[in-house]
């Protein structure tokens, strides 16, 4: 029932999820359906036998052109819990530097009748490129592409927020840190705005905020305490070590002094604020251990939810026939 | 019913496939049986649940002394579709430089009650060596050894030819490129001759044809257009980049000028010629993109067939008890 | 029924195995129960379908901070035979050099609802550290930590001894080689003493025996022939190549001359002596090929037993509900 978006590369002609490449352009209804489906899988991980046969006989290929044990592991666990077979392929980008040979790699895997590619790539747009050229029976999931998007991370974030907060429309959410280089931030901003949160704030030094970031529908702050004032949710971003040496920030120590999340600063937020982080965390760089391990932190719950959300996205994309029965809450 | 070949290391005392090391010495009947069994598996990959329980509880070890993501992946997919467990072991040749310690590696894996080794090795004869010393309950598949043989590739090639051409005995088949260093070519020549094709031609510069290659039962050509004249099947070989720098060929550009397959040259062949390539292809080196992606190309079908053929060989070698029911067309 | 040991980190409040970190502190009864359970699994590996559904839906994480294809493979095979899903994670120690970030790694995997960590680490105590901090539903198995312990190896060794010798209380067992650096030796000494063998001897050059080793309940010998006199079991240790260059031993050749096990020397032992080695063996360094491959050697049987023993430990730790029915012989 999302007829206006059938032109979206991610949706099939009935408006159901075919690929999952970016949160942009997806309807509120679809995001809610993903969260509802994830909810139904959350109980699976609590069972003694943590497996459902939904994707038995399906082959999921983790096609990682950029190394990430962490993200690869979450997709592998999600796929195996759905009884799919998993192929892990780590492909050095050098071997496929030409677009043409990337396509040849894809064509070959297609010919083996695999069912899904989870793509991680340093180039923005890689997952879209593959989705545009892939055989009709294959689904493509973006596991992070360049600085562009990391939509499954954004979905597990909003799923986590929904677990703790009842009504998106009343929430103030702050995203703190290196917005400029963060595909996570970009996807989160789209998801939060699609779900109509009251306000999305981005907080960081000027060197780490994109020019014209307000056009994404956020307000900007360069002072952490001001930005945290009265927020319901704080999402901390990981400070990539490789930014340290450049002109972006002076030193780790100075960064923490200005933008590190401490208990004292967190006191500016609402009393029931939740603190999130996509991981892995840099203790003492962007977040103090007392906060990371403290009562407001839901960082490990995010990891838990990440499995359920990925199970939801994998099964919705590969088993559209089941969609009718899911999403009762949508 | 192949009593004359019971001395063949690859066959058990009833003439059934035990190991699959080389096409040499195998009967026409056996090759046909492999193709018939592969035919029965081809439909499995079209099903929603692409799995059969034939090898449930069996353990297949991908024992790769030479790195090859591509070949390893096809065997892994084939084994998992048969419900086998797969162990991937990448063993640097340096660690087993002495034959004795290679044997110790084998003995240890044997003791874990694994059922099959798929062996890839830079040394010719490695798979034979292992098959000669392995415990009686274990099957060995040659996944490519030095310049010697790549028999599963040859079988998927003849399986592909049979899909498109009715009668082997009337076919003219050309193999083009670096015959000298190609284990694929060697295995293909044996398979095609065993299946009694009318003519096998090898086409390449003198530096890339083995001395006395005619003794293998082929005719030789040094001119591509002449060699292609009136053929039903063209098999292009990959030009290994490492040959470029040697005295074998002058430059990529010159090689393509003389031996690259273009649409114009392909016009010398029969109108319904099929073009094959073991992959990965070097576009613009041995084959033009217009041919690789054109209507005569069956290169991606080969990959598809590769899964079915490997499923056939794995199941025939590990489940000889089932052979009676298979191979109705043989 | 082991109430005196409920304080042991490895046992739950009912005295059942929860983690398996070291043989030290475990009762004779528990070691016997592990061996009895392993006995019941030994037959599984002889079946056509070598799989039991005991751990279906469970996720075993091979968390290897130190590379070991061999040990990783045995745990992977054991887990798959029990129908568990296996995640292989090779984590460079550099990435987790701080204890804190090791904990973050653990917390993240926990949050994915995995059920077991098999830990291999260069630091003594790493598995204990993880077991002490892990969530209550997770079991930790020590797959070798620094110079401290390798308890599953010790258990497969005593299981192997029990297969060949009826009564532990009458046995003389010699452990030969680099006792100083060997976690295997340390675990074996504890297991053998817990099982009340008559005598445990350690044999090696003074530089490779720990100071005050007798306090572990062993007698020491610096002469191989004297030490082997009248023993029932010889356990050879692997001589790590990295010890060669140091002051510990002069040369490989000299080491073999003094401490290499030859047929002649083995004649000092009982006529029905068995020879064991944890592998991989250095032929001609600590053991002569004639002995390694000779009639007294049970080295490959150890590998076989290693699968059964690891299946026993995995299932006992993850399915304590089944323990009542196991271990009839204990």
């Amino acid at each position: 029932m999302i007829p206006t978006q059938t032109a979206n590369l991610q949706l099939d002609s009935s408006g159901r999820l075919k690929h999952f490449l970016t949160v942009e352009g997806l309807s509120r209804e679809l995001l809610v359906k993903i969260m509802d489906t994830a909810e139904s899988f959350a109980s699976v991980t609590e069972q003694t036998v943590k497996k459902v046969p939904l994707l038995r006989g399906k082959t999921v290929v983790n096609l990682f052109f950029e190394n990430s044990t962490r993200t690869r592991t979450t997709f592998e666990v999600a796929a195996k819990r759905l009884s799919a077979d998993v192929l892990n392929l780590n492909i050095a980008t050098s071997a496929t530097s030409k677009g043409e040979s990337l396509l040849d790699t894809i064509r070959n895997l297609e010919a083996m009748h695999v069912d899904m590619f989870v793509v991680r790539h340093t180039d923005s747009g890689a997952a879209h490129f593959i989705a545009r050229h892939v055989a009709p029976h294959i689904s493509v999931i973006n596991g992070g592409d360049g600085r562009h998007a990391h939509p499954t991370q954004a979905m597990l974030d909003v799923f986590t927020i929904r677990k703790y907060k009842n009504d998106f429309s009343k929430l103030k959410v702050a995203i703190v840190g290196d917005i400029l280089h963060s595909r996570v931030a970009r996807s989160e901003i789209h998801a939060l705005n699609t779900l109509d949160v009251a306000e999305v704030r981005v907080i960081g030094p000027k060197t780490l905020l994109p020019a014209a970031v307000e056009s994404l529908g956020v307000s900007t702050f360069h002072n952490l305490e001001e930005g945290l004032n009265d927020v319901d949710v704080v999402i901390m971003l990981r400070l990539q070590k490789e930014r340290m040496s450049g002109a972006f920030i002076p030193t780790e120590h100075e960064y923490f002094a200005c933008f590190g999340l401490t208990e004292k600063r967190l006191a500016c937020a609402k009393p029931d604020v939740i603190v999130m982080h996509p991981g892995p965390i840099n203790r003492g760089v962007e977040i103090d251990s007392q906060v990371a391990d403290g009562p407001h932190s839901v960082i490990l719950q995010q990891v838990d939810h990440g499995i359920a959300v990925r199970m939801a996205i994998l099964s919705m994309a590969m088993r559209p026939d089941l969609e009718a029965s899911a999403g009762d809450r949508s």
Side-chain angles (χ1 to χ4, degrees), chain A:
Chain A
M1 297 301 102
I2 318 169
T4 58
Q5 292 181 342
T6 48
N8 188 320
L9 175 62
Q10 307 188 80
L11 305 179
D12 69 11
S13 58
S14 312
R16 293 177 302 196
L17 196 67
K18 170 68 185 170
H19 307 296
F20 192 65
L21 308 171
T22 178
V23 174
E24 260 185 292
L26 296 183
S27 68
R28 190 179 178 288
E29 288 71 25
L30 192 60
L31 301 199
V32 170
K33 183 169 278 185
I34 291 172
M35 290 190 279
D36 291 346
T37 308
E39 197 74 62
S40 73
F41 285 125
S43 64
V44 171
T45 59
E46 308 291 342
Q47 295 165 12
T48 313
V49 174
K50 291 186 289 284
K51 254 182 135 84
V52 288
L54 272 179
L55 299 186
R56 210 170 68 80
K58 304 283 187 192
T59 305
V60 174
V61 182
N62 277 329
L63 197 60
F64 274 49
F65 298 90
E66 175 183 88
N67 195 38
S68 171
T69 302
R70 188 190 182 84
T71 299
R72 194 261 296 162
T73 303
T74 57
F75 278 104
E76 186 173 349
V77 168
K80 285 181 170 171
R81 296 245 163 101
L82 294 164
S83 303
D85 287 322
V86 179
L87 276 185
N88 288 318
L89 298 183
N90 292 310
I91 300 180
T93 349
S94 62
T96 55
S97 50
K98 293 184 295 179
E100 212 176 33
S101 49
L102 166 61
L103 265 193
D104 282 335
T105 300
I106 297 299
R107 291 279 172 264
N108 269 280
L109 288 163
E110 272 177 16
M112 295 178 203
H113 294 268
V114 304
D115 301 278
M116 175 174 273
F117 294 121
V118 176
V119 178
R120 174 90 159 204
H121 205 291
T122 45
D123 290 351
S124 301
H128 280 76
F129 176 81
I130 292 172
R132 209 170 293 119
H133 291 89
V134 92
H137 68 280
I138 294 182
S139 291
V140 178
I141 306 295
N142 187 357
D145 64 325
R147 297 188 192 174
H148 173 244
H150 196 349
T152 60
Q153 177 71 42
M155 285 313 301
L156 75 89
D157 290 340
V158 293
F159 181 74
T160 300
I161 293 172
R162 196 176 77 162
K163 282 277 195 184
Y164 292 93
K165 306 289 173 189
N166 282 320
D167 186 351
F168 280 109
S169 73
K170 292 181 180 153
L171 298 182
K172 289 179 190 156
V173 180
I175 306 175
V176 184
D178 181 0
I179 313 290
L180 179 61
H181 301 97
S182 174
R183 52 192 174 203
V184 172
R186 219 165 302 264
S187 289
E188 286 164 345
I189 291 168
H190 287 298
L192 291 164
N193 280 327
T194 303
L195 291 165
D196 286 325
V197 300
E199 186 185 356
V200 182
R201 300 174 183 179
V202 297
I203 310 174
K206 280 177 190 163
T207 51
L208 294 179
L209 296 189
V213 63
E214 292 85 357
S215 66
L216 293 172
V218 299
S219 48
T220 61
F221 292 81
H222 303 305
N223 177 294
L224 182 54
E225 277 146 8
E226 279 177 32
L228 290 180
N229 184 39
D230 211 35
V231 299
D232 302 275
V233 177
V234 186
I235 302 176
M236 301 303 297
L237 299 176
R238 177 176 172 79
L239 192 70
Q240 305 293 334
K241 300 276 181 190
E242 57 265 34
R243 309 297 174 214
M244 302 292 178
S245 55
F248 294 111
I249 57 163
T251 67
E252 263 186 37
H253 185 76
E254 258 183 89
Y255 183 83
F256 183 74
C258 294
F259 293 97
L261 188 63
T262 59
E263 287 200 317
K264 191 165 159 239
R265 279 170 175 158
L266 191 59
C268 302
K270 288 239 180 82
D272 63 347
V273 65
I274 58 172
V275 175
M276 300 168 65
H277 190 298
I281 59 178
N282 289 313
R283 292 167 179 274
V285 179
E286 74 263 355
I287 190 165
D288 194 61
S289 280
Q290 281 189 295
V291 176
D293 306 329
H296 296 281
S297 169
V298 297
I299 296 174
L300 292 171
Q301 284 81 346
Q302 288 176 274
V303 178
D304 177 8
H305 299 154
I307 303 294
V309 164
R310 286 175 178 117
M311 288 172 77
I313 292 167
L314 264 60
S315 60
M316 285 173 67
M318 283 196 276
R319 293 292 304 271
D321 52 311
L322 297 176
E323 202 166 311
S325 60
D328 296 331
R329 284 174 58 185
S330 70

